[in-house]
């Protein structure tokens, strides 16, 4: 029999399930767990100065590795600061395990200042919320939580850890028996269904294969390309993929448009196969435009999920091995522009495509440069792109932190709009603290570009006083170069394509983080 | 009949109820309200770059004025970023009205990326959540919400505003009839009860009057002092008051201690009168220490609430007009220290007490300098202090923003620890944007001091690897001087009492914001 604290029992269970990372912003009620991390050497503790950094980093880590990291957060209000990026993680179907500290169980009735409805807050943004029991009983709960989180599809699981249960001594057998996680059995694919889908694809003129989720990695992409070659299909990817492999010799995908009328024009009357992608819907509701952008009769039946989509695409492609190839609809090509002394979003996209190193991971937030980059990314070397899956802004910098923690030898590029960067700006400190290989490119146009775009579409005068005050962030303009240095990240400001090329090239050849503030119109 | 948008109807109702301020971080679903602010000239729109800045500023504004400001926040995840400071606002019993935009009502079923459980998130931290109806029906809802919020006690009320209801045209009579808010009838005080309480006070040896909430303003304090003079009572204030008037010729109060054993020692066996203060409880639960720090028999019956506590204290004091004064227990006095070339928290407190201008408002977050200041604040000129009522950190800077917006001619001092300052650091930008008279004093010791204090009390080695990594924020140390400049706030670093004196004096004689980074051991 060994004696250990409940916190040590919890961490040991997580470590035996393969958890390697704990991204924490602890408070008093989590100190038992902080201390126990000293005796859990296989779990790396990383500090975030704000909880949204922790949850966004856990999301980024999960997108890259497919494995859950732990977050360690302080009671209800601390956890609440992490909700926005958990919303994104959930939309990304990323596995994440939150450990939320709570008061000692016997102290809750006192209603002391930090007492709050943790379970209620967690429920709104978790797939599962579990209040940990005391002693050895929590081992099974932790193991189950991690299996649940891993999916597929990945899930956000929140564990509420009462501080007394973490602090108290637990007597237990030497090594708790951890059931090895059984490989999930995917739903067996029905050969007749696959054949029916294949026939529907062949019959449809220029059908669309819309790829999302697990289908956007190499195997899925190559299978989809084989299908497209035979069926003359267009390959599209979701507008906001969680993790998409791109570039090199991978097939080139069109990106699904953002505004509903653009999506309708893009899809036309084509029959659509959804490969782990959600049915296209309008991002927001606009008067006179539909919410659902594809009627059911436009969809080709294809009953697959994250767990078996890749296998299903390959089986589909195999149906066509004896078919002749149909001419494939050419994807849109990017417009090349000449080099200049100013800097536009298109320049940024072009420079980044040209200089992106093999195996880079791009964390992309904001439309200003994100849109132009995604149009061209197929021309870059082989890389992966993560985007904001849930629309809760402040995802790009933390997601880059998580990716860099997951793959220390890859170059992580964070292509980040300035408005959204503010919500989790504290991520810069963790980049410096952990000396992460992250290059942050800030698109500094000092306005909420998407809001101004929406207002112009609605024919509102964006220069009117209140509207201007609430959509411009240019008086004062945030000095990103100074901000980065304040957090210990070396930085520079550029305002020409040539300076960006030089600074990006240099940043990619140095270890550790760098921030480049790009002055844009 | 006039025709206006739903958004205009909402804002007009709020304006007619006296709302003067809307602190916003809007997104696409709030653009109808943003545009409508152009036609609501009596409501000042102020932008926060992060939602926690907006909710914390609304709290600060409410503490100073007693009136609710509007916050305007974006759907579930945007609102979630404001939850931590709403938790504090609720503990402060501050009136706050959140307007949370939502998708068009007909678009919710599409489950587009930003769809989330807004009502669930809001319920966890609001006293009341109201989904606004369409058209003129929302006028009554808004008026009721504002009346509810105003209390007393103040309440957090969240209104969910569907974007289609905000955008659609409403035909209504020229001026909507707004019921003038009826002055709330306080519970009538029972003379016999007051007399019984007076007798109990007189009978008790050295009783304690513990003041909180509404009792900590001038009238309550002076009445309490009259009671103390006669009864030989000690006057204490809550450990974390929402808004306490102090200094000048106001009576000097002891502050209730933080750790439970200190509270027990401080209260001893004295009989305690609670004047709008909560019953003392331990902040966290510690093994071997009680949660509730005063048994019922220690409390002197005094059934009052926020609405009538001041009147009750005055009536009590009036009972004693014919009594001789008993010698009053002297409050603790501060220990004076000589000036030196280094800077300690006690130096900071001494300098601030000496230089605090008449009518200043101090927003105080963090124990490093906050504790020493509150021990001495009675020696300063007349001022008011706001503290972190709910323990959700990131409250000090936004609360200072709200106070400065409420009283543009007062000097607002934000005495702020560096760890907690990070959670809502974006408040600095709003200080610059609005040219607020706020002087931010950052206690830069580059560690989570309270966590290290707790760990030392638990005999944990704070230099062990994980513990050290998760409680120190010194590699790199955040450069607050650069951070402030990045947000447009002039700044300086000081590391001696003499430099602090000079820089504080200068900052107090200049309009607009300043930040002084105080290097502390």
């Amino acid at each position: 029999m060994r004696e250990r604290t409940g916190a040590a029992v919890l961490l040991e269970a997580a470590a035996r399930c393969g958890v390697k990372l704990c991204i924490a912003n602890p408070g008093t009620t989590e100190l038992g767990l902080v201390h126990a991390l000293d005796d859990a050497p296989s779990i790396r503790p990383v500090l975030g100065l704000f909880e949204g950094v922790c949850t966004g980093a856990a999301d980024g880590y999960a997108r890259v590795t497919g494995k859950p990291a732990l977050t360690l957060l302080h009671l209800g209000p601390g956890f609440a600061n992490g909700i926005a990026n958990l919303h994104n993680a959930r939309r990304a179907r990323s596995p994440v395990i939150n450990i939320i500290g709570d008061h000692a169980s016997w102290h809750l009735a006192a209603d002391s200042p930090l007492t709050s409805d943790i379970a209620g807050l967690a429920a709104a943004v978790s797939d599962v919320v579990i209040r940990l029991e005391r002693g050895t009983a929590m081992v099974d709960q932790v193991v189950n939580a991690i299996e649940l989180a891993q999916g597929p599809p990945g899930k956000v699981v929140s564990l509420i850890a009462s501080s007394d249960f973490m602090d108290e001594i637990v007597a237990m057998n030497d090594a708790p028996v951890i059931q090895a996680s059984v490989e999930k059995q995917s739903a067996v694919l029905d050969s007749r269904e696959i054949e029916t889908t294949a026939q529907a694809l062949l019959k449809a003129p220029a059908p669309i294969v819309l790829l999302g989720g697990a289908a956007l990695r190499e195997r899925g992409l190559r299978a989809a390309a084989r299908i497209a070659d035979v069926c003359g299909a267009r390959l599209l990817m979701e507008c906001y993929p969680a993790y998409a492999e791109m570039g090199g010799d991978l097939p080139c995908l069109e990106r699904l448009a953002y505004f509903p009328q653009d999506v309708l024009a893009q899809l036309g009357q084509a029959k659509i196969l959804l490969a782990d992608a959600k049915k296209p819907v309008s991002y927001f509701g606009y008067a006179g435009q539909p919410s659902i952008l594809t009627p059911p009769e436009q969809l080709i039946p294809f009953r697959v999920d994250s767990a078996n989509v890749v296998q299903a695409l390959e089986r589909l492609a195999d149906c066509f091995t004896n078919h002749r190839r149909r001419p494939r609809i050419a994807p849109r090509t990017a417009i090349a522009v000449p080099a200049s002394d100013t800097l536009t979003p298109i320049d940024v996209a072009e420079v980044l495509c040209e200089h992106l190193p093999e195996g880079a991971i791009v964390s992309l937030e904001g439309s200003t440069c994100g849109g132009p980059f995604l149009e061209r990314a197929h021309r870059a070397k082989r890389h992966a792109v993560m985007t904001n899956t849930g629309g809760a802004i402040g995802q790009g910098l933390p997601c880059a932190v998580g990716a860099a923690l997951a793959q220390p030898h890859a170059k992580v590029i964070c292509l980040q709009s300035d408005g959204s960067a503010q919500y989790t700006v504290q991520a810069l400190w963790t980049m410096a603290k952990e000396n992460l290989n992250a290059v942050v490119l800030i698109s500094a146009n000092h306005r909420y570009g998407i809001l101004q775009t929406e207002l112009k579409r609605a024919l509102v005068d964006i220069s009117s006083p209140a509207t201007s005050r609430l959509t411009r962030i240019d008086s004062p303009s945030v000095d990103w170069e100074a901000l980065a240095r304040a957090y210990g990240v070396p930085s520079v400001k550029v305002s020409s394509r040539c300076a960006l090329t030089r600074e990006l090239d240099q940043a990619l050849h140095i270890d550790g983080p760098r921030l480049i503030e790009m002055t844009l119109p």
Side-chain angles (χ1 to χ4, degrees), chain A residues 238-299:
Chain A
E238 294 172 310
C239 190
Y240 292 107
Y243 190 87
E245 295 186 353
M246 303 181 86
D249 70 342
L250 290 179
C252 165
L253 273 58
E254 274 177 69
R255 181 186 182 201
L256 194 68
Y258 178 83
F259 285 112
Q261 56 274 56
D262 298 336
V263 175
L264 291 173
Q266 186 180 28
L267 300 179
Q269 302 300 315
K271 295 283 182 186
I272 301 168
L273 183 83
L274 298 177
D276 208 25
K278 290 189 79 170
K279 211 159 41 179
V281 299
S282 184
Y283 205 95
F284 291 108
Y286 300 94
Q289 299 283 341
S291 284
I292 310 285
L293 303 177
T294 48
E297 60 273 17
Q298 203 172 347
L299 300 176

Side-chain angles (χ1 to χ4, degrees), chain A residues 46-49 53 401 426-434 436:
Chain A
V46 170
L47 181 63
L49 298 187
V53 175
V401 166
Q426 308 89 345
L428 293 170
W429 183 83
T430 303
M431 290 181 185
K433 167 81 176 168
E434 303 294 329
L436 301 179

Side-chain angles (χ1 to χ4, degrees), chain A residues 21-25 37 44-48 54 401 405 430 433-434:
Chain A
L21 182 64
C22 176
I23 315 177
N25 187 263
L37 279 163
R44 175 178 180 184
V46 170
L47 181 63
C54 303
V401 166
L405 288 166
T430 303
K433 167 81 176 168
E434 303 294 329

Side-chain angles (χ1 to χ4, degrees), chain A residues 139-444:
Chain A
V139 173
D140 281 347
Q141 292 182 297
V142 171
V143 173
N144 287 339
I146 293 171
E147 286 187 353
L148 266 173
Q150 273 176 336
K155 289 182 191 62
V156 172
V157 180
S158 295
L159 306 177
I160 303 175
S162 301
S163 64
D164 52 337
F165 295 178
M166 295 299 110
D167 292 340
E168 75 184 1
I169 298 300
V170 179
M172 60 190 304
N173 293 327
D174 231 14
V177 179
I178 305 282
Q179 293 284 339
S181 173
V182 180
E183 271 296 308
K184 291 262 164 65
Q185 203 80 37
S186 303
V188 178
L189 293 168
D190 180 319
S191 292
R192 269 198 322 216
E193 280 192 26
I194 293 282
E195 187 55 41
T196 310
T197 303
Q199 291 307 322
L201 273 168
L202 279 172
K203 225 174 66 186
I208 286 171
V209 180
L210 177 56
L211 304 167
L216 286 170
R217 306 199 179 216
E218 179 168 6
R219 273 179 60 193
L221 293 169
R222 295 211 191 277
R226 284 165 60 208
I227 296 165
D229 277 350
V230 172
C231 306
R234 287 157 65 199
L235 297 183
L236 266 67
M237 67 173 177
E238 294 172 310
C239 190
Y240 292 107
Y243 190 87
E245 295 186 353
M246 303 181 86
D249 70 342
L250 290 179
C252 165
L253 273 58
E254 274 177 69
R255 181 186 182 201
L256 194 68
Y258 178 83
F259 285 112
Q261 56 274 56
D262 298 336
V263 175
L264 291 173
Q266 186 180 28
L267 300 179
Q269 302 300 315
K271 295 283 182 186
I272 301 168
L273 183 83
L274 298 177
D276 208 25
K278 290 189 79 170
K279 211 159 41 179
V281 299
S282 184
Y283 205 95
F284 291 108
Y286 300 94
Q289 299 283 341
S291 284
I292 310 285
L293 303 177
T294 48
E297 60 273 17
Q298 203 172 347
L299 300 176
I300 297 173
F302 189 49
R303 292 189 307 170
V304 298
D305 58 25
S306 299
N308 63 12
V309 65
V310 170
Q311 195 200 346
L313 287 171
E314 288 177 341
R315 291 269 300 275
L316 255 185
D318 290 344
C319 292
F320 302 134
T321 39
N322 297 325
H323 287 77
R324 268 201 323 180
R325 296 185 171 200
R326 281 204 288 187
R328 192 165 150 207
I329 307 290
R332 290 181 193 167
T333 51
I335 308 134
V337 288
S340 78
D341 275 353
T342 60
L343 193 61
T344 67
I346 288 174
D347 289 321
V348 172
E350 290 283 340
V351 170
L352 186 53
C353 282
E354 202 176 316
H355 291 264
L356 205 62
E358 184 83 23
I361 302 170
V362 180
S363 175
L364 191 155
E365 184 170 34
S367 301
T368 303
C369 294
F373 173 73
L374 281 177
E375 266 185 68
R376 290 162 178 76
H378 61 278
R379 293 203 265 111
K381 294 202 181 99
R382 180 74 181 271
H383 66 281
V385 172
M386 307 184 295
T387 74
N388 186 325
T389 45
I393 60 181
Q395 167 268 359
L397 290 167
C399 225
V401 166
L405 288 166
Q407 291 209 357
H409 302 298
K411 278 289 172 191
V412 175
I413 316 285
C414 185
L415 184 59
Q416 175 70 51
S417 284
D418 58 349
S420 43
Q422 278 299 334
Y423 295 72
T424 47
V425 63
Q426 308 89 345
L428 293 170
W429 183 83
T430 303
M431 290 181 185
K433 167 81 176 168
E434 303 294 329
N435 198 37
L436 301 179
N437 276 329
V439 179
V440 179
L441 301 175
I442 295 283
S443 306

